[in-house]
Amino acid sequence: MTAANGSSAVNARVVVQQCLHATLQVCPPQQECEAQWVEIDRGMVIYVCFFKGATEDIIPKMVNTLMNIKLCETDSGKYTSVLELPGNVLIVPQATLGGKPKGRGMQYHGNIGKEDGQKLYASFVSHCEKELSLAVKCSEAGTEVKHGTYGNRQVLKLDTNGPYTHLMEF
Amino acid sequence: MTAANGSSAVNARVVVQQCLHATLQVCPPQQECEAQWVEIDRGMVIYVCFFKGATEDIIPKMVNTLMNIKLCETDSGKYTSVLELPGNVLIVPQATLGGKPKGRGMQYHGNIGKEDGQKLYASFVSHCEKELSLAVKCSEAGTEVKHGTYGNRQVLKLDTNGPYTHLMEF
């Protein structure tokens, strides 16, 4: 397996989509308790999956790339980064992205273990929050990072003006 | 670049998501004419991108794999194929999936040319339609294939019970 960036091993796979609005369940309905949701308006949805061997040191570069790459469409139809749009960010843990076809099923043997994955995911979220909080345009506009609960079912509703789906590997 | 299936060149990249309902614009609003949309209920959304060098002969195997791989969740929480669910299929042409990061932007030099891409896309759609029409469960349940307009902006609204995002390369 070769990463899109040319290195020989993939540590993380990310799919990015653009949205006008997105809603994600962060806690399923429970006895005497309704489901809990987070939502964002215009911005970027980041589906993320970590592979075995991924370590904390990939997170800063990964987040820096995702926050600064020009995938977001401005009102004038040009492309800019989510930090410069300024846009919101919704992070969705998505272990299925690590799947490899085997016969008629999918195998996930390359995925990172649950505990390590949870740590990397938490670090990824906190680095995204930090980048947004340091970006003047984002803090002025009040754009936010929201994120799903690692290991949960990611009940997602997405409204786009074109998802502009991109794949990135790190 | 190495395909997820282990071969040395990628001809097509596909992202698959599961949906409860999805709506896609197939014609933008024009003078004296409202936007036109297609929609599906429960089933699979297939985002597809072809690379330079892709030829017609990859289509039957690609469609057969996608229609028969067990990515769809049944009511009992098991996984089955879209043909056996039976589910609907929404095909979204998505050239952005061919992007490679270059500096702070994305380049699409590996993408197939417009004319060849359009032909492969049309063939992909028609093979999906054929597979669904031949599947007894699909024809009995009246499930359908809907698809976006190649080259257009893909204005998409998606409602999921968990997108279960998968990447597949051919």
Side-chain angles (χ1 to χ4, degrees), chain B residues 3-4 20 22 25 30 33 38 47 54 66 68 87 89 99 101 105 121 130 136 145 148 150 164-165 170:
Chain B
L20 296 176
Q25 193 179 88
Q30 290 168 325
C33 173
V38 291
Y47 307 83
L66 289 164
N68 288 289
V89 175
Y121 178 70
K130 193 173 166 194
V136 176
V145 175
Y150 195 86
Y164 291 91
T165 314
F170 298 89

Side-chain angles (χ1 to χ4, degrees), chain A residues 142-170:
Chain A
T143 60
E144 290 178 300
V145 175
K146 299 286 176 71
H147 65 95
T149 307
Y150 195 85
N152 273 22
R153 173 186 290 268
Q154 304 299 319
V155 179
L156 175 74
K157 295 169 201 297
L158 192 64
D159 191 351
T160 83
N161 189 28
Y164 291 92
T165 315
H166 284 94
L167 169 71
M168 297 189 74
E169 292 178 335
F170 299 89

Side-chain angles (χ1 to χ4, degrees), chain B residues 98-120:
Chain B
K100 283 183 83 164
K102 162 97 178 179
R104 289 185 58 207
M106 277 282 177
Q107 287 189 337
Y108 303 92
H109 297 323
N111 282 34
I112 200 165
K114 182 160 185 184
E115 203 172 313
D116 287 341
Q118 199 143 20
K119 277 183 202 160
L120 291 179

Side-chain angles (χ1 to χ4, degrees), chain B residues 70-92:
Chain B
K70 297 181 176 182
L71 301 181
C72 301
E73 196 184 18
T74 64
D75 290 333
S76 60
K78 290 187 176 164
Y79 288 87
T80 190
S81 70
V82 71
L83 295 185
E84 285 172 358
L85 187 57
N88 300 282
V89 175
L90 177 65
I91 304 165
V92 184

Side-chain angles (χ1 to χ4, degrees), chain A residues 28-152:
Chain A
Q30 290 168 324
Q31 225 180 350
E32 299 180 33
C33 173
E34 287 185 2
Q36 287 172 45
W37 302 80
V38 291
E39 57 183 315
I40 63 165
D41 288 321
R42 188 173 176 188
M44 237 165 71
V45 179
I46 302 177
Y47 306 84
V48 61
C49 172
F50 296 101
F51 291 99
K52 271 178 193 148
T55 49
E56 173 64 30
D57 58 328
I58 65 164
I59 302 291
K61 179 166 180 286
M62 194 177 162
V63 170
N64 188 267
T65 300
L66 289 164
M67 295 298 105
N68 288 290
I69 197 158
K70 297 180 177 183
L71 301 182
C72 301
E73 195 185 17
T74 65
D75 291 331
S76 60
K78 291 188 176 164
Y79 287 87
T80 190
S81 69
V82 71
L83 294 184
E84 285 173 358
L85 186 58
N88 300 280
V89 175
L90 177 65
I91 304 165
V92 184
Q94 194 78 165
T96 50
L97 271 179
K100 283 183 84 165
K102 162 96 178 177
R104 289 185 57 205
M106 277 283 178
Q107 287 190 336
Y108 303 91
H109 297 323
N111 282 32
I112 199 165
K114 182 159 185 184
E115 204 173 312
D116 288 341
Q118 198 144 20
K119 278 184 201 159
L120 291 179
Y121 178 70
S123 171
F124 181 81
V125 169
S126 97
H127 275 80
C128 287
E129 288 170 340
K130 193 174 167 191
E131 291 248 10
L132 247 77
S133 73
L134 292 175
V136 176
K137 281 193 176 183
C138 289
S139 51
E140 281 179 2
T143 60
E144 290 178 300
V145 175
K146 299 286 176 71
H147 65 95
T149 307
Y150 195 85
N152 273 22

Side-chain angles (χ1 to χ4, degrees), chain B residues 2-163:
Chain B
T2 306
N5 64 12
S7 75
S8 60
V10 178
N11 288 301
R13 180 172 290 157
V14 169
V15 166
V16 179
Q17 293 187 316
Q18 305 305 312
C19 73
L20 296 176
H21 188 83
T23 310
L24 181 69
Q25 193 179 88
V26 291
C27 184
Q30 290 168 325
Q31 225 180 349
E32 299 179 34
C33 173
E34 287 185 3
Q36 287 171 45
W37 303 79
V38 291
E39 58 184 314
I40 63 166
D41 288 321
R42 189 172 175 190
M44 238 166 70
V45 179
I46 303 177
Y47 307 83
V48 61
C49 172
F50 295 102
F51 290 100
K52 270 177 194 150
T55 49
E56 173 64 28
D57 58 326
I58 65 164
I59 304 291
K61 181 168 180 286
M62 194 178 162
V63 170
N64 188 266
T65 300
L66 289 164
M67 295 298 105
N68 288 289
I69 197 159
K70 297 181 176 182
L71 301 181
C72 301
E73 196 184 18
T74 64
D75 290 333
S76 60
K78 290 187 176 164
Y79 288 87
T80 190
S81 70
V82 71
L83 295 185
E84 285 172 358
L85 187 57
N88 300 282
V89 175
L90 177 65
I91 304 165
V92 184
Q94 194 78 166
T96 50
L97 271 180
K100 283 183 83 164
K102 162 97 178 179
R104 289 185 58 207
M106 277 282 177
Q107 287 189 337
Y108 303 92
H109 297 323
N111 282 34
I112 200 165
K114 182 160 185 184
E115 203 172 313
D116 287 341
Q118 199 143 20
K119 277 183 202 160
L120 291 179
Y121 178 70
S123 171
F124 181 81
V125 169
S126 95
H127 275 80
C128 288
E129 289 170 340
K130 193 173 166 194
E131 292 249 9
L132 248 77
S133 73
L134 293 175
V136 176
K137 282 193 175 184
C138 289
S139 53
E140 280 180 3
T143 61
E144 291 179 299
V145 175
K146 300 286 176 73
H147 65 95
T149 307
Y150 195 86
N152 273 22
R153 174 186 289 269
Q154 303 299 319
V155 179
L156 174 75
K157 295 170 202 297
L158 191 65
D159 191 351
T160 83
N161 190 28

